[in-house]
């Protein structure tokens, strides 16, 4: 494996561009899972190769439930990414995480229901561990970069992934707080699961836009207010990306997450579905073709 960084950035609501990217060019990347959300911007900042994908497409016209996360992750893998930093707007379920806070997520509760959540399936079965669902190395570097960018970073939080596109009912918001969730969003799942299956170390930076609706004395969530906060958050996020890239070690040391499929595929070679194996050429080719 290469000892160089190729950083994939998945931009969520409020982050549709990256400042300072050199040799930028949008390229179409085809996948066997359908079309990704958009073309991928190839470029670099300094010596670090970048691949930028707007999760909702330029113009924000893809709703959360229709984001093709399998195609997005596959396309980033095909584009040579070694690691992924995902950025996502979120609601807060905790008083101490006010709008404007950047949250380095370390756990998830997945409540999505209408999305394809695995690259594997009938004919080629695999089970990857999600006990620790994010990359600690990337998360630590990202937290430090938020501080450098002038943002307020909260390190460690549980993200409740809901289906959407509607916001929570007040009863749901209270329930999620009782479950121990700290923030809520609509896009990090199954994205994080798919990144793990693709052997791509993944970190999620959540940008708080609102308090969801659990505060009984407060007004319910309004899109206009969220958009205003997204704009402010996006400016910090762009500076954070630059600071993160500047902080990356010159040499990318191997991560245990680079090889999670070594012991995850349970279907023996002679029993594997050939068509599915072909679709997994980018995601699992390292182990399927050895």
């Amino acid at each position: 494996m290469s000892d160089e960084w190729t950083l994939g950035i998945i931009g969520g609501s409020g982050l549709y561009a990256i400042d300072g990217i050199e040799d930028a060019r949008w390229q179409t990347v085809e996948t066997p899972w359908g079309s990704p959300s958009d073309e991928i911007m190839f470029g670099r900042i300094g010596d670090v190769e970048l691949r930028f994908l707007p999760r909702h497409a330029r113009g924000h016209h893809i709703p959360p439930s229709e984001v093709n996360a399998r195609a997005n992750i596959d396309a980033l893998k095909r584009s040579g990414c070694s690691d992924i930093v995902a950025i996502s707007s979120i609601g807060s379920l905790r008083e101490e995480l006010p709008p404007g806070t950047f949250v380095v997520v370390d756990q998830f509760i997945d409540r999505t229901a209408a999305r394809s959540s695995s690259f594997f399936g009938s004919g080629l079965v695999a089970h990857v561990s999600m006990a620790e669902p994010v990359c600690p190395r990337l998360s630590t570097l990202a937290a430090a970069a938020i501080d450098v960018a002038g943002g307020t970073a909260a390190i460690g939080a549980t993200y409740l992934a809901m289906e959407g596109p509607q916001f929570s009912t007040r009863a749901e918001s209270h329930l999620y707080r009782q479950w121990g969730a700290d923030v809520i969003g609509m896009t990090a799942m199954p994205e994080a699961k798919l990144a793990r299956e693709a052997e791509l170390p993944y970190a999620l930076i959540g940008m708080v836009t609102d308090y969801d609706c659990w505060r009984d004395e407060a007004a319910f969530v309004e899109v206009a207010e969220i958009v205003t906060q997204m704009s402010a958050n996006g400016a910090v996020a762009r500076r954070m990306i630059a600071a993160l890239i500047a902080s990356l070690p010159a040499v990318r040391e191997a991560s245990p997450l680079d090889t999670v499929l070594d012991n995850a595929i349970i279907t023996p070679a002679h029993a594997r579905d050939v068509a599915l194996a072909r679709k997994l050429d980018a995601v699992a080719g390292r182990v399927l073709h050895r």
Side-chain angles (χ1 to χ4, degrees):
M1 290 188 178
S2 173
D3 60 3
E4 297 180 352
W5 298 89
T6 299
L7 192 63
I9 304 290
I10 301 177
S13 304
L15 183 67
Y16 306 107
I18 296 179
D19 297 338
I21 190 167
E22 305 166 72
D23 300 327
R25 60 205 183 277
W26 289 98
Q27 292 187 201
T28 299
V29 179
E30 296 181 352
T31 89
W33 310 98
S35 299
S37 294
D38 205 327
E39 296 178 313
I40 293 177
M41 177 180 280
F42 285 61
R44 61 181 175 82
I45 294 181
D47 295 328
V48 177
E49 288 288 323
L50 287 184
R51 307 288 185 261
F52 174 69
L53 176 62
R55 187 187 285 114
H56 299 282
R58 287 167 286 180
H60 199 121
H61 60 81
I62 302 176
S65 293
E66 296 179 27
V67 171
N68 188 342
R70 289 195 297 187
N72 286 351
I73 296 299
D74 180 281
L76 290 170
K77 182 80 171 185
R78 283 179 198 280
S79 301
C81 289
S82 62
D83 303 80
I84 292 177
V85 174
I87 299 169
S88 180
S89 290
I90 54 175
S92 172
L93 297 170
R94 302 296 167 194
E95 194 71 48
E96 64 271 20
L97 298 175
T101 304
F102 280 63
V103 179
V104 182
V105 172
D106 64 354
Q107 284 293 332
F108 298 95
I109 299 171
D110 188 0
R111 293 285 293 165
T112 63
R115 311 172 189 192
S116 298
S117 62
S118 178
F119 290 109
F120 298 90
S122 180
L124 214 173
V125 178
H127 303 283
V128 297
S129 172
M130 290 296 294
E132 301 297 336
V134 302
C135 172
R137 174 170 67 184
L138 271 182
S139 297
T140 298
L141 290 168
I146 294 166
D147 289 334
V148 172
T152 301
I155 301 171
T158 296
Y159 176 119
L160 188 293
M162 64 180 293
E163 186 64 46
Q166 303 85 0
F167 295 126
S168 309
T169 67
R170 203 181 297 275
E172 289 169 335
S173 196
H174 282 299
L175 176 64
Y176 300 151
R177 280 168 47 82
Q178 292 173 19
W179 284 355
D182 302 298
V183 296
I184 186 168
M186 301 180 187
T187 54
M189 284 292 175
E191 187 176 89
K193 291 177 177 177
L194 295 165
R196 179 61 53 88
E197 288 187 343
E199 299 186 323
L200 288 169
Y202 174 96
L204 179 66
I205 310 304
M207 307 182 296
V208 178
T209 58
D210 61 274
Y211 270 119
D212 203 54
C213 63
W214 54 272
R215 301 161 95 214
D216 292 333
E217 74 282 1
F220 52 79
V221 180
E222 292 279 8
V223 169
E225 297 172 8
I226 290 176
V227 170
T228 299
Q229 186 62 60
M230 283 194 315
S231 178
N233 289 349
V236 177
R238 290 191 294 274
R239 295 196 299 271
M240 182 270 291
I241 291 169
L244 171 62
I245 290 167
S247 73
L248 293 176
V251 174
R252 181 190 182 276
E253 299 291 341
S255 164
L257 302 178
D258 297 340
T259 54
V260 295
L261 292 180
D262 280 352
N263 299 303
I265 297 176
I266 196 168
T267 308
H270 71 273
R272 293 171 186 167
D273 180 271
V274 174
L276 180 52
R278 288 197 194 102
K279 292 177 71 172
L280 288 161
D281 64 327
V283 167
R286 184 189 67 80
V287 293
L288 293 179
H289 300 151
R290 65 186 179 188

